[in-house]
Short mmCIF file of all heavy atoms in Angstrom, two decimals:
data_model
loop_
_atom_site.label_atom_id
_atom_site.label_comp_id
_atom_site.label_asym_id
_atom_site.label_seq_id
_atom_site.Cartn_x
_atom_site.Cartn_y
_atom_site.Cartn_z
N MET M 26 28.26 61.79 81.09
CA MET M 26 29.39 61.18 81.74
C MET M 26 28.86 60.24 82.81
O MET M 26 27.90 60.52 83.51
CB MET M 26 30.26 62.27 82.36
CG MET M 26 31.49 61.77 83.09
SD MET M 26 32.66 60.74 82.20
CE MET M 26 33.08 61.74 80.82
N ALA M 27 29.53 59.12 82.93
CA ALA M 27 29.13 58.11 83.89
C ALA M 27 29.46 58.54 85.31
O ALA M 27 30.47 59.20 85.55
CB ALA M 27 29.83 56.80 83.57
N ILE M 28 28.60 58.17 86.22
CA ILE M 28 28.83 58.42 87.63
C ILE M 28 29.40 57.13 88.21
O ILE M 28 28.82 56.06 88.05
CB ILE M 28 27.52 58.81 88.34
CG1 ILE M 28 26.91 60.04 87.68
CG2 ILE M 28 27.75 59.01 89.81
CD1 ILE M 28 27.78 61.28 87.72
N PHE M 29 30.55 57.24 88.87
CA PHE M 29 31.22 56.07 89.41
C PHE M 29 30.88 55.87 90.87
O PHE M 29 30.77 56.83 91.63
CB PHE M 29 32.74 56.23 89.29
CG PHE M 29 33.23 56.25 87.88
CD1 PHE M 29 33.61 57.44 87.29
CD2 PHE M 29 33.33 55.09 87.15
CE1 PHE M 29 34.06 57.47 85.99
CE2 PHE M 29 33.78 55.11 85.85
CZ PHE M 29 34.14 56.30 85.27
N ARG M 30 30.73 54.64 91.26
CA ARG M 30 30.53 54.28 92.65
C ARG M 30 31.89 53.88 93.23
O ARG M 30 32.86 53.65 92.51
CB ARG M 30 29.53 53.13 92.78
CG ARG M 30 28.18 53.46 92.22
CD ARG M 30 27.54 54.59 93.01
NE ARG M 30 26.32 55.05 92.34
CZ ARG M 30 25.89 56.28 92.38
NH1 ARG M 30 26.56 57.19 93.03
NH2 ARG M 30 24.80 56.62 91.77
N ALA M 31 31.97 53.76 94.54
CA ALA M 31 33.24 53.50 95.22
C ALA M 31 33.88 52.20 94.73
O ALA M 31 35.10 52.13 94.55
CB ALA M 31 33.03 53.45 96.72
N ARG M 32 33.08 51.19 94.52
CA ARG M 32 33.61 49.91 94.05
C ARG M 32 34.22 50.03 92.66
O ARG M 32 35.27 49.45 92.37
CB ARG M 32 32.48 48.89 94.03
CG ARG M 32 32.92 47.48 94.34
CD ARG M 32 31.75 46.54 94.39
NE ARG M 32 31.04 46.71 95.65
CZ ARG M 32 29.79 46.31 95.87
NH1 ARG M 32 29.11 45.74 94.92
NH2 ARG M 32 29.22 46.50 97.04
N GLU M 33 33.58 50.81 91.81
CA GLU M 33 34.08 51.01 90.45
C GLU M 33 35.36 51.85 90.46
O GLU M 33 36.28 51.60 89.69
CB GLU M 33 33.02 51.71 89.60
CG GLU M 33 31.77 50.90 89.41
CD GLU M 33 30.64 51.71 88.82
OE1 GLU M 33 30.68 52.95 88.91
OE2 GLU M 33 29.71 51.10 88.29
N VAL M 34 35.42 52.83 91.35
CA VAL M 34 36.59 53.70 91.44
C VAL M 34 37.80 52.90 91.89
O VAL M 34 38.91 53.10 91.41
CB VAL M 34 36.31 54.88 92.41
CG1 VAL M 34 37.58 55.65 92.71
CG2 VAL M 34 35.27 55.80 91.80
N ALA M 35 37.59 51.96 92.80
CA ALA M 35 38.70 51.16 93.32
C ALA M 35 39.31 50.28 92.24
O ALA M 35 40.49 49.92 92.32
CB ALA M 35 38.22 50.31 94.48
N GLN M 36 38.56 49.97 91.21
CA GLN M 36 39.05 49.10 90.14
C GLN M 36 39.80 49.85 89.05
O GLN M 36 40.43 49.23 88.20
CB GLN M 36 37.89 48.32 89.52
CG GLN M 36 37.23 47.36 90.49
CD GLN M 36 36.00 46.70 89.90
OE1 GLN M 36 35.55 47.07 88.82
NE2 GLN M 36 35.45 45.73 90.61
N LEU M 37 39.74 51.18 89.06
CA LEU M 37 40.42 51.97 88.04
C LEU M 37 41.92 52.04 88.31
O LEU M 37 42.36 52.00 89.45
CB LEU M 37 39.86 53.39 88.01
CG LEU M 37 38.39 53.56 87.62
CD1 LEU M 37 37.97 55.01 87.76
CD2 LEU M 37 38.16 53.09 86.20
N THR M 38 42.70 52.18 87.23
CA THR M 38 44.13 52.37 87.39
C THR M 38 44.40 53.84 87.71
O THR M 38 43.51 54.68 87.62
CB THR M 38 44.88 51.99 86.09
OG1 THR M 38 44.48 52.90 85.06
CG2 THR M 38 44.60 50.56 85.69
N ASP M 39 45.64 54.15 88.09
CA ASP M 39 46.00 55.53 88.43
C ASP M 39 45.80 56.47 87.25
O ASP M 39 45.32 57.59 87.41
CB ASP M 39 47.46 55.60 88.90
CG ASP M 39 47.66 54.90 90.24
OD1 ASP M 39 46.66 54.75 90.99
OD2 ASP M 39 48.80 54.50 90.53
N VAL M 40 46.15 56.01 86.06
CA VAL M 40 46.00 56.84 84.86
C VAL M 40 44.52 57.09 84.57
O VAL M 40 44.12 58.21 84.25
CB VAL M 40 46.68 56.16 83.64
CG1 VAL M 40 46.43 56.93 82.37
CG2 VAL M 40 48.16 56.00 83.90
N GLU M 41 43.71 56.05 84.70
CA GLU M 41 42.28 56.20 84.47
C GLU M 41 41.65 57.14 85.49
O GLU M 41 40.75 57.91 85.16
CB GLU M 41 41.58 54.84 84.54
CG GLU M 41 41.89 53.94 83.36
CD GLU M 41 41.32 52.55 83.52
OE1 GLU M 41 41.11 52.09 84.66
OE2 GLU M 41 41.08 51.92 82.48
N LEU M 42 42.14 57.09 86.73
CA LEU M 42 41.62 58.00 87.76
C LEU M 42 41.84 59.45 87.37
O LEU M 42 40.92 60.27 87.45
CB LEU M 42 42.31 57.73 89.11
CG LEU M 42 41.74 56.65 90.00
CD1 LEU M 42 42.61 56.45 91.22
CD2 LEU M 42 40.33 56.98 90.41
N THR M 43 43.05 59.77 86.94
CA THR M 43 43.35 61.16 86.59
C THR M 43 42.57 61.58 85.34
O THR M 43 42.10 62.72 85.26
CB THR M 43 44.85 61.37 86.37
OG1 THR M 43 45.33 60.44 85.40
CG2 THR M 43 45.61 61.19 87.67
N GLU M 44 42.44 60.68 84.37
CA GLU M 44 41.67 61.00 83.16
C GLU M 44 40.21 61.28 83.48
O GLU M 44 39.64 62.27 83.02
CB GLU M 44 41.76 59.86 82.15
CG GLU M 44 43.10 59.71 81.48
CD GLU M 44 43.16 58.50 80.57
OE1 GLU M 44 42.15 57.77 80.44
OE2 GLU M 44 44.23 58.28 79.98
N GLN M 45 39.61 60.41 84.27
CA GLN M 45 38.21 60.57 84.63
C GLN M 45 38.00 61.83 85.47
O GLN M 45 37.01 62.54 85.30
CB GLN M 45 37.68 59.35 85.39
CG GLN M 45 37.59 58.10 84.55
CD GLN M 45 36.65 58.25 83.36
OE1 GLN M 45 35.64 58.93 83.42
NE2 GLN M 45 37.02 57.62 82.25
N MET M 46 38.96 62.11 86.35
CA MET M 46 38.86 63.31 87.18
C MET M 46 38.85 64.56 86.31
O MET M 46 38.02 65.46 86.51
CB MET M 46 40.02 63.38 88.16
CG MET M 46 40.06 64.63 88.97
SD MET M 46 39.59 64.46 90.66
CE MET M 46 40.69 63.23 91.22
N SER M 47 39.74 64.62 85.34
CA SER M 47 39.79 65.81 84.49
C SER M 47 38.52 65.94 83.64
O SER M 47 38.00 67.04 83.46
CB SER M 47 41.03 65.79 83.60
OG SER M 47 41.00 64.69 82.73
N LYS M 48 38.00 64.83 83.13
CA LYS M 48 36.76 64.87 82.35
C LYS M 48 35.59 65.37 83.20
O LYS M 48 34.81 66.21 82.75
CB LYS M 48 36.43 63.48 81.80
CG LYS M 48 37.31 63.04 80.66
CD LYS M 48 36.91 61.66 80.19
CE LYS M 48 37.88 61.12 79.16
NZ LYS M 48 37.52 59.75 78.75
N LEU M 49 35.48 64.84 84.41
CA LEU M 49 34.38 65.24 85.27
C LEU M 49 34.50 66.69 85.71
O LEU M 49 33.50 67.40 85.81
CB LEU M 49 34.30 64.32 86.49
CG LEU M 49 33.84 62.89 86.21
CD1 LEU M 49 34.00 62.02 87.44
CD2 LEU M 49 32.41 62.87 85.73
N GLN M 50 35.72 67.15 85.96
CA GLN M 50 35.91 68.54 86.36
C GLN M 50 35.54 69.49 85.22
O GLN M 50 34.93 70.53 85.46
CB GLN M 50 37.35 68.78 86.82
CG GLN M 50 37.62 68.19 88.19
CD GLN M 50 39.08 68.29 88.61
OE1 GLN M 50 39.96 68.41 87.77
NE2 GLN M 50 39.31 68.22 89.91
N LEU M 51 35.88 69.12 83.99
CA LEU M 51 35.48 69.94 82.84
C LEU M 51 33.97 69.99 82.68
O LEU M 51 33.39 71.04 82.40
CB LEU M 51 36.12 69.42 81.56
CG LEU M 51 37.60 69.73 81.36
CD1 LEU M 51 38.11 69.02 80.11
CD2 LEU M 51 37.81 71.22 81.25
N GLU M 52 33.33 68.85 82.88
CA GLU M 52 31.88 68.81 82.79
C GLU M 52 31.24 69.67 83.88
O GLU M 52 30.27 70.39 83.62
CB GLU M 52 31.39 67.36 82.91
CG GLU M 52 29.92 67.21 82.65
CD GLU M 52 29.46 65.77 82.65
OE1 GLU M 52 30.31 64.86 82.58
OE2 GLU M 52 28.24 65.56 82.71
N LEU M 53 31.81 69.63 85.08
CA LEU M 53 31.29 70.45 86.17
C LEU M 53 31.47 71.93 85.87
O LEU M 53 30.57 72.75 86.13
CB LEU M 53 31.98 70.09 87.49
CG LEU M 53 31.51 70.81 88.74
CD1 LEU M 53 30.04 70.53 89.01
CD2 LEU M 53 32.36 70.42 89.93
N ILE M 54 32.59 72.29 85.29
CA ILE M 54 32.83 73.69 84.92
C ILE M 54 31.81 74.15 83.88
O ILE M 54 31.29 75.27 83.96
CB ILE M 54 34.27 73.87 84.41
CG1 ILE M 54 35.25 73.74 85.56
CG2 ILE M 54 34.45 75.21 83.70
CD1 ILE M 54 36.70 73.64 85.14
N LYS M 55 31.50 73.30 82.91
CA LYS M 55 30.51 73.65 81.90
C LYS M 55 29.14 73.87 82.52
O LYS M 55 28.44 74.83 82.19
CB LYS M 55 30.42 72.55 80.84
CG LYS M 55 31.61 72.50 79.92
CD LYS M 55 31.47 71.37 78.92
CE LYS M 55 32.72 71.22 78.08
NZ LYS M 55 32.62 70.07 77.16
N HIS M 56 28.74 72.96 83.42
CA HIS M 56 27.44 73.10 84.08
C HIS M 56 27.40 74.37 84.93
O HIS M 56 26.41 75.10 84.90
CB HIS M 56 27.14 71.89 84.96
CG HIS M 56 26.67 70.69 84.20
ND1 HIS M 56 25.46 70.64 83.55
CD2 HIS M 56 27.25 69.49 83.98
CE1 HIS M 56 25.32 69.47 82.96
NE2 HIS M 56 26.39 68.74 83.21
N ASN M 57 28.45 74.62 85.68
CA ASN M 57 28.47 75.81 86.53
C ASN M 57 28.49 77.08 85.69
O ASN M 57 27.90 78.09 86.08
CB ASN M 57 29.68 75.78 87.48
CG ASN M 57 29.47 74.81 88.61
OD1 ASN M 57 28.34 74.48 88.95
ND2 ASN M 57 30.56 74.36 89.20
N GLY M 58 29.16 77.06 84.56
CA GLY M 58 29.17 78.20 83.67
C GLY M 58 27.80 78.50 83.12
O GLY M 58 27.40 79.66 83.00
N LYS M 59 27.08 77.45 82.78
CA LYS M 59 25.73 77.62 82.26
C LYS M 59 24.82 78.22 83.33
O LYS M 59 24.02 79.12 83.06
CB LYS M 59 25.16 76.28 81.81
CG LYS M 59 23.82 76.38 81.11
CD LYS M 59 23.25 75.01 80.79
CE LYS M 59 23.99 74.38 79.63
NZ LYS M 59 23.34 73.11 79.20
N VAL M 60 24.96 77.75 84.56
CA VAL M 60 24.13 78.26 85.66
C VAL M 60 24.48 79.70 85.98
O VAL M 60 23.59 80.54 86.19
CB VAL M 60 24.29 77.36 86.91
CG1 VAL M 60 23.64 78.00 88.12
CG2 VAL M 60 23.70 75.99 86.65
N SER M 61 25.76 80.03 86.00
CA SER M 61 26.17 81.39 86.34
C SER M 61 25.79 82.39 85.24
O SER M 61 25.66 83.58 85.50
CB SER M 61 27.67 81.46 86.61
OG SER M 61 28.40 81.23 85.44
N ALA M 62 25.62 81.92 84.02
CA ALA M 62 25.22 82.79 82.92
C ALA M 62 23.71 83.06 82.94
O ALA M 62 23.21 83.81 82.13
CB ALA M 62 25.61 82.17 81.59
N GLY M 63 23.02 82.43 83.87
CA GLY M 63 21.59 82.67 84.00
C GLY M 63 20.73 81.56 83.42
O GLY M 63 19.51 81.64 83.48
N GLY M 64 21.35 80.56 82.87
CA GLY M 64 20.59 79.46 82.31
C GLY M 64 20.27 78.41 83.35
O GLY M 64 20.76 78.45 84.48
N ALA M 65 19.45 77.48 82.99
CA ALA M 65 19.09 76.40 83.90
C ALA M 65 19.60 75.09 83.30
O ALA M 65 19.55 74.89 82.09
CB ALA M 65 17.59 76.33 84.08
N THR M 66 20.12 74.23 84.16
CA THR M 66 20.57 72.93 83.68
C THR M 66 19.37 72.02 83.47
O THR M 66 18.31 72.23 84.06
CB THR M 66 21.55 72.27 84.66
OG1 THR M 66 20.87 72.03 85.90
CG2 THR M 66 22.74 73.15 84.91
N GLU M 67 19.55 71.01 82.65
CA GLU M 67 18.48 70.06 82.41
C GLU M 67 18.20 69.23 83.65
O GLU M 67 17.07 68.87 83.93
CB GLU M 67 18.84 69.11 81.25
CG GLU M 67 19.20 69.79 79.96
CD GLU M 67 20.66 70.19 79.90
OE1 GLU M 67 21.53 69.47 80.39
OE2 GLU M 67 20.92 71.28 79.35
N ASN M 68 19.28 68.92 84.40
CA ASN M 68 19.15 68.07 85.57
C ASN M 68 20.00 68.65 86.70
O ASN M 68 21.19 68.40 86.76
CB ASN M 68 19.61 66.65 85.21
CG ASN M 68 19.38 65.66 86.32
OD1 ASN M 68 18.88 66.02 87.38
ND2 ASN M 68 19.75 64.42 86.08
N PRO M 69 19.40 69.41 87.60
CA PRO M 69 20.18 70.04 88.67
C PRO M 69 20.85 69.03 89.60
O PRO M 69 21.89 69.31 90.18
CB PRO M 69 19.16 70.87 89.43
CG PRO M 69 17.94 70.90 88.62
CD PRO M 69 18.01 69.80 87.63
N GLY M 70 20.28 67.86 89.75
CA GLY M 70 20.86 66.84 90.61
C GLY M 70 22.16 66.28 90.05
O GLY M 70 22.96 65.70 90.77
N HIS M 71 22.39 66.48 88.76
CA HIS M 71 23.59 65.97 88.12
C HIS M 71 24.84 66.69 88.63
O HIS M 71 25.90 66.08 88.76
CB HIS M 71 23.47 66.11 86.61
CG HIS M 71 24.55 65.43 85.85
ND1 HIS M 71 24.73 64.07 85.87
CD2 HIS M 71 25.53 65.92 85.06
CE1 HIS M 71 25.77 63.76 85.11
NE2 HIS M 71 26.28 64.88 84.61
N ILE M 72 24.70 67.98 88.97
CA ILE M 72 25.82 68.75 89.49
C ILE M 72 26.27 68.16 90.82
O ILE M 72 27.46 67.98 91.07
CB ILE M 72 25.45 70.24 89.63
CG1 ILE M 72 25.25 70.84 88.24
CG2 ILE M 72 26.52 71.00 90.41
CD1 ILE M 72 24.74 72.26 88.25
N LYS M 73 25.31 67.82 91.65
CA LYS M 73 25.61 67.21 92.96
C LYS M 73 26.32 65.87 92.78
O LYS M 73 27.29 65.57 93.47
CB LYS M 73 24.33 67.04 93.75
CG LYS M 73 24.51 66.54 95.16
CD LYS M 73 23.18 66.50 95.88
CE LYS M 73 23.36 66.03 97.30
NZ LYS M 73 22.06 66.00 98.02
N GLU M 74 25.84 65.07 91.85
CA GLU M 74 26.47 63.77 91.59
C GLU M 74 27.88 63.93 91.03
O GLU M 74 28.76 63.14 91.34
CB GLU M 74 25.61 62.94 90.64
CG GLU M 74 24.42 62.30 91.30
CD GLU M 74 24.81 61.31 92.38
OE1 GLU M 74 25.78 60.54 92.20
OE2 GLU M 74 24.15 61.32 93.43
N LEU M 75 28.10 64.94 90.19
CA LEU M 75 29.44 65.20 89.66
C LEU M 75 30.40 65.52 90.80
O LEU M 75 31.52 65.01 90.85
CB LEU M 75 29.42 66.35 88.67
CG LEU M 75 28.90 66.06 87.28
CD1 LEU M 75 28.79 67.35 86.48
CD2 LEU M 75 29.79 65.07 86.57
N LYS M 76 29.95 66.38 91.71
CA LYS M 76 30.80 66.76 92.85
C LYS M 76 31.12 65.54 93.71
O LYS M 76 32.26 65.37 94.15
CB LYS M 76 30.11 67.82 93.70
CG LYS M 76 30.04 69.17 93.05
CD LYS M 76 29.33 70.15 93.95
CE LYS M 76 29.20 71.52 93.33
NZ LYS M 76 28.52 72.46 94.23
N ARG M 77 30.14 64.70 93.94
CA ARG M 77 30.37 63.50 94.76
C ARG M 77 31.33 62.53 94.08
O ARG M 77 32.19 61.94 94.72
CB ARG M 77 29.04 62.79 95.03
CG ARG M 77 28.22 63.47 96.07
CD ARG M 77 26.99 62.66 96.36
NE ARG M 77 26.25 63.27 97.45
CZ ARG M 77 25.11 62.80 97.91
NH1 ARG M 77 24.56 61.73 97.36
NH2 ARG M 77 24.49 63.40 98.89
N THR M 78 31.18 62.37 92.78
CA THR M 78 32.06 61.47 92.04
C THR M 78 33.50 61.99 92.04
O THR M 78 34.44 61.22 92.20
CB THR M 78 31.56 61.27 90.61
OG1 THR M 78 30.21 60.80 90.66
CG2 THR M 78 32.41 60.28 89.86
N ILE M 79 33.66 63.30 91.86
CA ILE M 79 35.00 63.90 91.92
C ILE M 79 35.61 63.66 93.30
O ILE M 79 36.78 63.32 93.42
CB ILE M 79 34.95 65.39 91.56
CG1 ILE M 79 34.61 65.56 90.07
CG2 ILE M 79 36.26 66.08 91.89
CD1 ILE M 79 34.29 66.98 89.67
N ALA M 80 34.80 63.80 94.33
CA ALA M 80 35.28 63.55 95.70
C ALA M 80 35.68 62.10 95.88
O ALA M 80 36.70 61.80 96.53
CB ALA M 80 34.21 63.94 96.71
N ARG M 81 34.92 61.17 95.30
CA ARG M 81 35.28 59.75 95.38
C ARG M 81 36.64 59.49 94.72
O ARG M 81 37.47 58.75 95.23
CB ARG M 81 34.22 58.89 94.72
CG ARG M 81 32.99 58.68 95.51
CD ARG M 81 32.06 57.68 94.84
NE ARG M 81 30.78 57.70 95.50
CZ ARG M 81 29.68 58.24 94.98
NH1 ARG M 81 29.70 58.77 93.78
NH2 ARG M 81 28.56 58.24 95.65
N LEU M 82 36.83 60.10 93.55
CA LEU M 82 38.08 59.91 92.83
C LEU M 82 39.26 60.50 93.61
O LEU M 82 40.32 59.88 93.71
CB LEU M 82 38.00 60.55 91.45
CG LEU M 82 37.03 59.91 90.46
CD1 LEU M 82 36.91 60.75 89.21
CD2 LEU M 82 37.45 58.51 90.11
N MET M 83 39.05 61.67 94.20
CA MET M 83 40.12 62.30 94.98
C MET M 83 40.44 61.49 96.23
O MET M 83 41.61 61.33 96.60
CB MET M 83 39.72 63.72 95.37
CG MET M 83 39.66 64.66 94.20
SD MET M 83 39.04 66.29 94.63
CE MET M 83 40.49 66.95 95.41
N THR M 84 39.42 60.94 96.85
CA THR M 84 39.62 60.11 98.04
C THR M 84 40.44 58.87 97.69
O THR M 84 41.35 58.49 98.42
CB THR M 84 38.26 59.70 98.64
OG1 THR M 84 37.55 60.88 98.98
CG2 THR M 84 38.45 58.82 99.87
N GLU M 85 40.11 58.25 96.57
CA GLU M 85 40.85 57.06 96.15
C GLU M 85 42.31 57.41 95.82
O GLU M 85 43.22 56.66 96.17
CB GLU M 85 40.17 56.41 94.94
CG GLU M 85 40.83 55.14 94.47
CD GLU M 85 40.80 54.01 95.47
OE1 GLU M 85 39.89 53.98 96.32
OE2 GLU M 85 41.69 53.15 95.43
N GLN M 86 42.54 58.55 95.18
CA GLN M 86 43.91 58.97 94.89
C GLN M 86 44.70 59.19 96.17
O GLN M 86 45.85 58.74 96.27
CB GLN M 86 43.92 60.26 94.06
CG GLN M 86 43.65 60.05 92.61
CD GLN M 86 43.74 61.35 91.83
OE1 GLN M 86 43.56 62.44 92.37
NE2 GLN M 86 43.99 61.24 90.54
N ASN M 87 44.09 59.85 97.13
CA ASN M 87 44.78 60.08 98.40
C ASN M 87 45.03 58.78 99.14
O ASN M 87 46.08 58.61 99.77
CB ASN M 87 43.97 61.04 99.28
CG ASN M 87 44.00 62.45 98.76
OD1 ASN M 87 44.95 62.86 98.10
ND2 ASN M 87 42.96 63.20 99.05
N HIS M 88 44.09 57.86 99.08
CA HIS M 88 44.26 56.56 99.72
C HIS M 88 45.44 55.80 99.10
O HIS M 88 46.21 55.17 99.82
CB HIS M 88 42.98 55.74 99.59
CG HIS M 88 43.07 54.37 100.14
ND1 HIS M 88 43.16 54.12 101.48
CD2 HIS M 88 43.11 53.17 99.54
CE1 HIS M 88 43.26 52.81 101.67
NE2 HIS M 88 43.23 52.21 100.50
N ARG M 89 45.56 55.86 97.79
CA ARG M 89 46.66 55.16 97.12
C ARG M 89 48.01 55.80 97.42
O ARG M 89 49.01 55.11 97.46
CB ARG M 89 46.42 55.13 95.61
CG ARG M 89 45.28 54.22 95.24
CD ARG M 89 45.08 54.17 93.76
NE ARG M 89 43.88 53.39 93.44
CZ ARG M 89 43.51 53.07 92.20
NH1 ARG M 89 44.23 53.49 91.18
NH2 ARG M 89 42.43 52.36 92.01
N ARG M 90 48.04 57.11 97.62
CA ARG M 90 49.30 57.77 97.95
C ARG M 90 49.81 57.35 99.31
O ARG M 90 51.01 57.22 99.51
CB ARG M 90 49.11 59.29 97.94
CG ARG M 90 49.12 59.88 96.57
CD ARG M 90 49.15 61.38 96.66
NE ARG M 90 48.51 61.90 95.46
CZ ARG M 90 47.68 62.92 95.44
NH1 ARG M 90 47.40 63.57 96.54
NH2 ARG M 90 47.14 63.30 94.31
N THR M 91 48.91 57.18 100.27
CA THR M 91 49.32 56.85 101.63
C THR M 91 49.57 55.36 101.80
O THR M 91 50.26 54.97 102.72
CB THR M 91 48.28 57.31 102.64
OG1 THR M 91 47.03 56.68 102.35
CG2 THR M 91 48.11 58.81 102.61
N ALA M 92 48.99 54.55 100.94
CA ALA M 92 49.14 53.10 101.07
C ALA M 92 50.46 52.59 100.54
O ALA M 92 51.22 53.13 99.89
CB ALA M 92 48.01 52.39 100.36
#
């Protein structure tokens, strides 16, 4: 899954924001499930980037609600 930067997030439509958010959250759940089952992820830094990207998307959604 692609990691979005703030500039890219600002260009997404509201529908695309929600779609990408749900995709990234599912991917994060899969990674966390693998780790909690005792396995190791291929790239541990990817979990951190997923969390940051989800936060960027949520920030943009909140910004659009107040604007």
Side-chain angles (χ1 to χ4, degrees):
M26 180 57 56
I28 302 299
F29 294 104
R30 300 296 171 212
R32 213 176 282 161
E33 296 168 340
V34 170
Q36 295 175 352
L37 296 175
T38 64
D39 292 337
V40 175
E41 289 174 334
L42 274 175
T43 55
E44 288 176 0
Q45 292 300 325
M46 175 107 56
S47 63
K48 287 180 187 177
L49 290 172
Q50 286 174 337
L51 284 175
E52 187 175 346
L53 182 61
I54 289 169
K55 287 179 186 176
H56 282 292
N57 285 337
K59 186 185 286 187
V60 170
S61 68
T66 63
E67 304 85 37
N68 186 359
H71 189 64
I72 292 174
K73 185 176 181 179
E74 282 297 320
L75 283 173
K76 289 179 181 180
R77 284 184 175 178
T78 304
I79 291 169
R81 283 187 191 106
L82 293 172
M83 291 175 77
T84 301
E85 183 64 26
Q86 280 183 336
N87 289 332
H88 177 70
R89 290 181 185 186
R90 281 189 208 139
T91 59

